[in-house]
């Protein structure tokens, strides 16, 4: 539990903290949201009492304290939604050229306790195409997040630089999309694809959606680390 529960709770808290900070929460809540993001990255090492992690946390706290009261905490909150979706899109796209198999192919093979090459050809083609679909969906979200961060007022990137924008949205509207709807779209696509897969390939090793999520969790940390490791 020490390995994943604290990080999960902190990660679930971040979108709400970021949204409240962007929706009139002010600089203090922006700093709290950014500190939460730092803890998401460092929490495992902090719980293991690694000196380097505590040093990094101290540096982050000092830097955020220096930035508090200025515009930079709110500016920094513009970047994570674009970075998260962009990095995820890159992971999916990169795996299409991985000799170990596309990302979704490897996950499905893990669920079926086999290798991507041993999957039935229709399922292997489907999982490869699904990997590409995820890359395109996430890349689209990255671009939308970036565009909205540019034109948000009063403190989007263009407004802060004093440049006119071709159109504008409020920061609250940007935050609603970037910090909440973003994840809703991802969850909706995930569930809709699950329903499509059950229709196309009814003989699956899981009984229902909850059982599917349980099997995904049972793949274990080592599987997920290997999945995203460089080849």
């Amino acid at each position: 539990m020490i390995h994943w529960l604290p990080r999960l709770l902190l990660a679930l808290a971040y979108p709400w903290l970021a949204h409240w900070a962007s929706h009139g929460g002010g600089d203090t809540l922006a700093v709290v949201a950014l500190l939460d993001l730092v803890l998401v990255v460092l929490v495992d090492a902090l719980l293991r009492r690694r000196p380097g992690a505590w040093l990094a946390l101290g540096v982050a706290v000092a830097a955020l304290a220096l930035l508090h009261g200025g515009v930079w905490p709110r500016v920094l909150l513009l970047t994570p939604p674009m970075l998260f979706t962009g990095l995820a899109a890159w992971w999916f796209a990169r795996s299409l050229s991985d000799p170990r198999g596309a990302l979704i192919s490897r996950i499905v093979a893990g669920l079926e306790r086999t290798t991507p090459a041993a999957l039935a050809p229709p399922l292997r083609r489907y999982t490869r195409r699904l990997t590409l679909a995820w890359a395109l969906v996430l890349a689209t979200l990255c671009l939308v997040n970036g565009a909205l961060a540019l034109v948000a007022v009063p403190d989007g990137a263009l407004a802060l630089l004093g440049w006119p924008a071709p159109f504008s949205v409020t920061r609250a509207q940007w935050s609603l999309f970037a910090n909440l709807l973003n994840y809703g779209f991802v969850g909706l696509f995930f569930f809709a694809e699950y329903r499509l897969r059950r229709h196309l390939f009814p003989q699956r090793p899981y009984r229902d959606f909850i059982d599917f999520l349980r099997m995904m969790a049972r793949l274990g940390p080592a599987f997920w680390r290997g999945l995203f490791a460089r080849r």
Side-chain angles (χ1 to χ4, degrees):
M1 184 174 294
I2 194 173
H3 297 292
W4 61 269
L5 183 56
R7 175 171 288 165
L8 175 64
L9 295 175
L10 289 164
L12 290 174
Y14 173 77
W16 297 99
L17 290 172
H19 181 62
W20 290 331
S22 301
H23 196 51
D27 295 337
T28 299
L29 195 51
V31 167
V32 171
L34 290 169
L35 181 59
D36 178 86
L37 198 57
V38 171
L39 290 172
V40 169
V41 176
L42 296 177
V43 64
D44 282 356
L46 292 172
L47 292 173
R48 296 175 189 277
R49 301 179 183 179
R50 293 178 179 171
W54 284 98
L55 177 62
L57 178 62
V59 170
V61 169
L64 290 172
L66 288 173
L67 294 175
H68 182 261
V71 299
W72 282 106
R74 285 173 289 155
V75 173
L76 290 173
L77 282 180
L78 293 169
T79 59
M82 183 173 61
L83 293 177
F84 293 160
T85 51
L87 180 59
W90 174 77
W91 267 331
F92 278 93
R94 182 189 68 161
S95 75
L96 293 170
S97 61
D98 193 321
R100 296 174 297 178
L103 203 62
I104 303 296
S105 303
R106 292 164 62 194
I107 294 173
V108 171
L111 293 173
E112 301 204 356
R113 302 181 183 276
T114 186
T115 64
L119 293 173
L123 183 58
R124 189 166 64 248
R125 286 193 298 269
Y126 175 82
T127 54
R128 181 174 176 81
R129 290 168 183 167
L130 179 59
T131 302
L132 175 60
W134 268 111
L136 294 175
V137 167
L138 291 165
T140 300
L141 289 174
C142 175
L143 293 174
V144 173
N145 283 321
L148 294 181
L150 283 174
V151 302
V153 292
D155 46 10
L158 291 179
L160 289 170
L161 293 172
W163 295 345
F167 65 95
S168 65
V169 298
T170 67
R171 188 178 177 99
Q173 289 170 330
W174 163 82
S175 178
L176 179 64
F177 181 87
N179 293 315
L180 298 178
L181 294 181
N182 227 0
Y183 304 102
F185 289 142
V186 169
L188 181 62
F189 185 79
F190 183 82
F191 183 72
E193 185 281 319
Y194 166 81
R195 298 296 300 175
L196 175 63
R197 186 173 359 118
R198 285 300 300 259
H199 174 71
L200 296 176
F201 305 97
Q203 300 302 318
R204 299 289 87 219
Y206 36 81
R207 297 184 304 275
D208 51 34
F209 187 66
I210 299 301
D211 193 38
F212 167 63
L213 295 179
R214 289 196 188 104
M215 289 189 67
M216 292 271 284
R218 284 199 295 266
L219 288 173
F223 174 85
W224 295 106
R225 283 196 299 269
L227 190 71
F228 294 108
R230 291 179 180 272
R231 64 179 184 272

